[in-house]
Amino acid sequence: MSAATRMKLHYSPKLGRFVRCVAEYECEYGDAHTTPHQLAEAGGAKLSLYGHSTIQTVSPVVDGKYFVGTKDWGRVYSEDGEPVPPSEARAWWKKIADSEKAEKKATTEADDQAVSAPTPTPHNRLARPAIGIASRHKEFELAESSSDAGVLAMLAGSSDPAVRLVVIRNPAVATSTLEQLTMSQDRGWKVYRLAALEELGHRYQDERDERELEIDRLMKADGSLKKLALKAPAAAVLAAMPEPAFQRKPPSARRSLIRRAVDQLGRMLKVSVRVAGWTHSLVWKVAVGSDGVKMISLPRRVARDLSRKGVLGFLVEMFVSVAERPFSSKSLSKQLGFGW
């Protein structure tokens, strides 16, 4: 199989397409990766292999072949991932062109129209077969049947919350994808967020020690975990995550999780705070903006050196310090479910 079709990709929700993974150790996007070859088998997608500004297309497999490239250049590959000779690629394009021309002719005849169908060029033909993954039916079918964690990560960004729910129930979905769905703020999150947290709990179960299992049971019993999931989902993920899973995350992923938890807990507790950035200082720094919001710079050591339990304790102490209304560490920990 060609190196180009084995290239390791992860799905970027921000860009809305797959990008080449260049992580040397831990990928901050988690463990949901795929390849151009697997995307072709799943129905095609958009991707960026050499820089985020260049958008390429991988088409679905048609007659045992597929295309990877832009409107100006690219290559045709066989189903085994090897590039096909130019003469064979031209024959493949011609077959697609003839098929599209016949389809267009049948459509116009059915509509009693006399408009002749223009013959597409090889470059504008490639965009048509690559759209297959966008159909709603195809999304549901892939969400239920795909065993490719990278494809499921893409489907987790579907605009249809019902598709996301099907992704959550697929055993092949990556834990990192479940974490992202638990923390999603998109419209329709009420359909799938609690289901994602439930599936996360099952994934985390084997990695929790006895103390963490007891804390999880108590949080579920008093409803604090569900309350966090609805109002501060990043904090819910942080509270439910076992220590080994937290330690596996690279510092950049931990910083992102902590930042989101602070912002969401601030809204939940009605404390006007926002994370301004990260410093090399040993303590946090606070600056009040013109709108009265407390801009907090957090120490890098929080994400780099502290345990998950240490991070939760740090967040409690920070909110006790910056809140305008009186909190005690014990009462706030109990309110958030961190105090068991």
Side-chain angles (χ1 to χ4, degrees):
M1 184 179 290
S2 166
T5 57
R6 288 187 286 105
M7 195 173 291
K8 190 177 177 183
L9 308 173
H10 57 235
Y11 184 72
S12 169
K14 182 178 180 180
L15 296 175
R17 59 182 179 273
F18 287 91
V19 296
R20 184 182 182 187
C21 181
V22 295
E24 295 184 10
Y25 302 105
E26 293 280 351
C27 175
E28 64 179 291
Y29 285 86
D31 50 356
H33 292 89
T34 189
T35 65
H37 181 73
Q38 290 170 320
L39 290 178
E41 292 181 328
K46 299 292 183 182
L47 65 163
S48 294
L49 300 181
Y50 305 102
H52 292 175
S53 60
T54 303
I55 303 176
Q56 300 181 52
T57 297
V58 54
S59 78
V61 175
V62 178
D63 290 335
K65 299 179 182 65
Y66 60 95
F67 177 85
V68 179
T70 69
K71 65 179 182 179
D72 299 319
W73 57 267
R75 297 203 69 169
V76 176
Y77 295 88
S78 61
E79 266 189 304
D80 60 6
E82 294 297 334
V84 303
S87 58
E88 192 175 336
R90 286 193 294 270
W92 183 71
W93 281 121
K94 185 177 184 305
K95 188 173 183 180
I96 292 179
D98 292 343
S99 175
E100 289 186 346
K101 189 174 181 178
E103 181 184 348
K104 182 69 173 180
K105 183 178 179 180
T107 302
T108 54
E109 288 177 351
D111 294 338
D112 294 322
Q113 296 176 356
V115 181
S116 60
T119 302
T121 65
H123 297 322
N124 63 33
R125 277 199 303 270
L126 76 89
R128 290 191 60 181
I131 301 174
I133 203 167
S135 75
R136 189 167 182 270
H137 175 74
K138 185 68 173 178
E139 283 189 337
F140 274 107
E141 181 183 338
L142 281 174
E144 186 174 21
S145 63
S146 179
S147 59
D148 187 328
V151 171
L152 293 172
M154 177 176 65
L155 292 170
S158 169
S159 59
D160 189 336
V163 171
R164 295 185 175 199
L165 185 60
V166 177
V167 168
I168 289 166
R169 298 306 188 194
N170 189 319
V173 66
T175 301
S176 55
T177 302
L178 289 174
E179 290 172 353
Q180 290 300 319
L181 285 170
T182 301
M183 295 185 288
S184 174
Q185 302 278 20
D186 291 347
R187 287 190 306 173
W189 63 263
K190 292 182 180 179
V191 173
Y192 57 80
R193 182 182 289 173
L194 291 179
L197 184 62
E198 180 184 1
E199 289 297 324
L200 261 185
H202 297 320
R203 295 284 181 93
Y204 288 158
Q205 192 80 1
D206 292 340
E207 294 193 73
R208 294 190 180 111
D209 58 26
E210 291 184 9
R211 177 60 178 161
E212 287 178 330
L213 286 171
E214 178 63 13
I215 291 173
D216 184 65
R217 187 189 68 77
L218 291 170
M219 290 186 73
K220 287 179 179 177
D222 69 4
S224 56
L225 189 60
K226 183 177 179 180
K227 180 181 177 182
L228 281 176
L230 296 175
K231 296 187 176 181
V237 169
L238 194 55
M241 185 180 296
E243 185 62 34
F246 181 74
Q247 293 300 328
R248 281 197 302 271
K249 290 186 175 297
S252 58
R254 293 186 215 169
R255 287 196 296 269
S256 176
L257 179 60
I258 293 168
R259 177 192 289 269
R260 295 171 73 172
V262 169
D263 291 344
Q264 293 166 7
L265 285 172
R267 288 193 294 271
M268 177 180 172
L269 299 172
K270 298 181 179 178
V271 178
S272 298
V273 298
R274 189 176 304 146
V275 177
W278 298 82
T279 73
H280 293 286
S281 173
L282 295 179
V283 295
W284 65 80
K285 298 179 180 178
V286 181
V288 180
S290 58
D291 56 357
V293 176
K294 294 182 175 69
M295 307 297 294
I296 301 179
S297 296
L298 298 174
R300 287 183 176 272
R301 69 176 183 86
V302 173
R304 186 187 62 224
D305 301 332
L306 296 187
S307 65
R308 182 196 62 90
K309 183 178 179 181
V311 170
L312 293 176
F314 174 87
L315 294 183
V316 168
E317 293 299 329
M318 187 195 73
F319 275 104
V320 168
S321 175
V322 301
E324 296 177 357
R325 51 202 177 102
F327 281 123
S328 71
S329 298
K330 185 175 181 179
S331 65
L332 185 56
S333 295
K334 180 94 175 191
Q335 179 181 335
L336 298 177
F338 301 162
W340 297 104

